Each structure stands twice: as structure tokens, then as C-alpha cells.
Amino acid sequence: MVQALIRKSACVADLKKRAKRRIPKFAFDYIEGGCNSELALKNNREGLDSVFLRPEYLQGYSKPELGIELFGKHYSAPIGIAPLGLTGLIWPDASAMHARSALKANIPFVLSTVSTISIEDAAKNAEDNFWFQLYPPADEEILNDMLDRLRAVGCQNLVVTVDVPTPSRRISSIKSGLAVPPKITIKSVLESAIRPIWSLATVRAGLPRFATLHPYIKDAKNIEDISNFIRVTLKDVVDETTLKTLRDKWQGNLIVKSISHEDDAIAVKEIGVDGIIVSNHGGRQLDASLPPAETLEEIINAVGSDLTVMADSGVETGVDIARYLALGAEAVFAGRAFLYGVGAHGELGAEHTIDLLRDELEQVMSQLHCSKPELMHQYLE
Ligand SMILES: Cc1cc2nc3c(=O)[nH]c(=O)nc-3n(C[C@H](O)[C@H](O)[C@H](O)COP(=O)(O)O)c2cc1C
């Protein structure tokens, strides 16, 4: 089976092509799209492509060991599954598939606040590889309850996303009428009809719902009510005060996602957070943003070794992961790649995506004679 998968989908680009054939257009567009004119998306690619690695072939060789330590836990590779909202639209239970495959491969899995499986389900599937991404609720009772639920399932790592002060404008989703949660339109029904396997799986599982937030949604009579609830309940602007409050309430590791300026990195270090993810949300929020491949070194120089600095955005191959590691990231997350994996081949696709990225990274490290991820910076041109 594995060999057959490798022949069908030998790289993430193959997974993407196959996912496009298996899921309806509105769902594919939701994954693929960047915001506005999709310049940030393009610039993420160009930013990574302009990072070059330089081997010294005559220096000693030892087989690469991909394992890393993050926040005191050993992981088998410096690769993680980024938080992804509304994954049930791609395939029912996509996040559970990601969670199980992350556990199996021993890499971090981050559940989104607006994912379609609950905190409890995700933790059951990912065990201690489970991390949680928070869009902080404005209502303190809901926030406290969510933090209690995270403690109850043993979650150690809380990731707070700061780059959604306002909803983004993704043209393809506006055109397809995709709303959160999804609306059923004639167009979406027609697009689904020509993807019968997806339709059957989705009909069996029922329309995706926001499972983590579900217990707080009272008096919702219809999809509009749920949508309004989420808009009102989740804070849009996350500022230093919000982060200080979270620091006081959360004793586990606190990680801030979507840092793109060194001043913000210094500010969160002073608040006492444990780590940051340098990211521009995969080019889905600010079209004029700098690619993380350009900001990462500056940010690392500003915060020194006091924070665990990780990165995401634009990862399509293990070569891209090697590039972020060479720029100084301790671990690298990917988003879309994992959705293409599930869209293309279901749960095996989730596992296959991890294998592909890991094997490609290992090949690059071997090529460079680099024995460990933390030594990758030596090979930056
Ligand atoms: C379909 C989709 C949904 C996403 N949902 C969330 C989310 O709920 N919370 C969040 O912090 N980031 C979210 N992101 C951003 C990812 O966590 C990550 O930053 C981004 O996907 C990395 O770029 P890449 O897709 O090029 O790997 C989402 C990204 C995609 C593609």
C-alpha cells in the first residue's frame, strides 16, 4: 500500500492534484486560497526559494538524526501539523486523522479553536502530542472553561494566534459563498454532486460543526446564529493585556503564533511566553506581509535563545523545512500540505504527508552532511 501511495503521490504537489480531483471546488479553494491578490502566498514561495543551502562535501558525514526536544518532550522530527479550522469540510474527521498520524509519527499536532473535532476527541487521538490553538474567547467564563478542559485532557502547549484582528478577504471563498460554518448553496450542491465519494462520506458524517465551541452555543436555531455566536464570542484583537491574562491563567507552555515583527517577539518574551511561531498564516491574512523566510533571522536575533522559535507558511517540501531550520527555526509547521494529504488519500494520506516531508528533509540533511536539525544553520549560504 505504501509503495502504491508513493507511486501515486510522490510529493506534496501530487497530493494537491489528487485532492483537487476528490473534493468539491469550494472545499479545495478554501484550502488553497491566499488573501486578496494572493501576493503573500506568492511571496512566501519566493521567500523560501531565495534561501540557499551550501554543503561542504569533504567534511565528516554521519547519518542524520531528525529527533528534537521541544518544551522538554522528545519528537521524532522537527515537523508539526499547524492548526487548521473547519477541516471537516475537506473530509469528515480530517483532524482526528491528523491527530492519530501525528501520534504515530511522534510529531506535534495543533488543534484549532474552530476545528470540527472537540478538544476531548483530539486529545484522545493525539495523546501527549496534542497542542491547542486558541482564539481567545472574550467571555471569561468560556475562556476559563476551555482552559479547564485543556488541563483535564493533559494538554501542555497552548498556542495563541494573534494575526486575525479582522476577518481576511479570500476572494475564492467570497465567490464560492463559503461561510463559517458552511452554507449550502445550489453551486456547492452541484460541486459536491460531481465528487460522489466526498459527498457520501460527508452525508454519512453530517455537516461539519465547531465541536470544541459547541457546548457554549446556546439558543442557536440555525447556521446564522452559530456564525454570529462565533464572531461575537472570539476576540478579534489579541493584545499584550490578553496575553498577560493568559500567562497568569495558563501554567503550561504558552506559545504565540503569527509573530512577524521583532518588537512583538521582544514584547511576548517580556510577558513570559515560552515560544513563538513566526508565520503569516500561510498568506491568508495580510497580503502585503513579509514572508517568514525574510523575518525569521531578525526575530531570532532579537530574542536570542530565551524563546523557542518555530516557523510556518509556504512549506511544500522537506527542502522548505530544511530552509526554515537553516534560518534558525527549532521546528517547522505545515498546514495545507496535511489537508492535501487527507483530501487525496484519507488517513493514509495524513501519514503519507508526514513520511514525505520527513524523508525529503532527511535526504537534504544527508546531502549537506548535517547530522542534527539544530546544526542546519551552518549550511545557510
Ligand atoms: C484551511 C486553513 C485553515 C486554517 N485555520 C487556522 C486556524 O483555525 N487557526 C490558526 O491559527 N491558523 C489557521 N491556519 C493557518 C495555519 O495554521 C498555518 O499558519 C498555515 O497554514 C501555514 O502555511 P501553509 O499552509 O503554507 O503551510 C489555517 C490555514 C489553512 C490553509
Side-chain angles (χ1 to χ4, degrees), residues 15 33 84 115 154 193 238 243 252 257 312 356:
L15 294 172
L84 298 162
S115 177
V238 179
L243 292 176
K257 174 169 181 274
D312 79 20
L356 280 176

Side-chain angles (χ1 to χ4, degrees), residues 30-31 82-85 112 114 133 135 161 257 279 281-282 284 312-315 334-336 339:
Y30 167 65
I31 312 178
L84 298 162
S112 159
V114 289
Q133 176 266 327
Y135 287 128
T161 299
K257 174 169 181 274
S279 161
H281 216 111
R284 290 166 78 86
D312 79 20
S313 296
V315 167
R336 293 179 180 87
L339 290 174

Side-chain angles (χ1 to χ4, degrees), residues 102-117:
L103 175 64
K104 202 164 163 190
N106 189 24
I107 63 166
F109 161 77
V110 193
L111 182 77
S112 159
T113 301
V114 289
S115 177
T116 43
I117 66 166

Side-chain angles (χ1 to χ4, degrees), residues 7 9 25 48 69 80 97 118 184 234 272 313 329 337 348 366:
R7 271 198 304 276
S9 299
K25 184 174 180 313
L48 282 164
E69 285 266 316
M97 296 174 183
S118 67
I184 300 168
L234 301 184
S313 296
L348 274 180
S366 266

Side-chain angles (χ1 to χ4, degrees), residues 82-83 133 159-163 255-259 277 279 281 312:
Q133 176 266 327
V159 178
V160 184
T161 299
V162 297
D163 67 347
I255 297 143
V256 178
K257 174 169 181 274
S258 297
I259 291 291
I277 303 178
S279 161
H281 216 111
D312 79 20

Side-chain angles (χ1 to χ4, degrees), residues 58-74:
L58 300 187
Q59 304 309 310
Y61 176 85
S62 47
K63 193 173 155 33
E65 271 299 327
L66 268 62
I68 52 158
E69 285 266 316
L70 275 183
F71 308 113
K73 174 174 158 54
H74 174 81

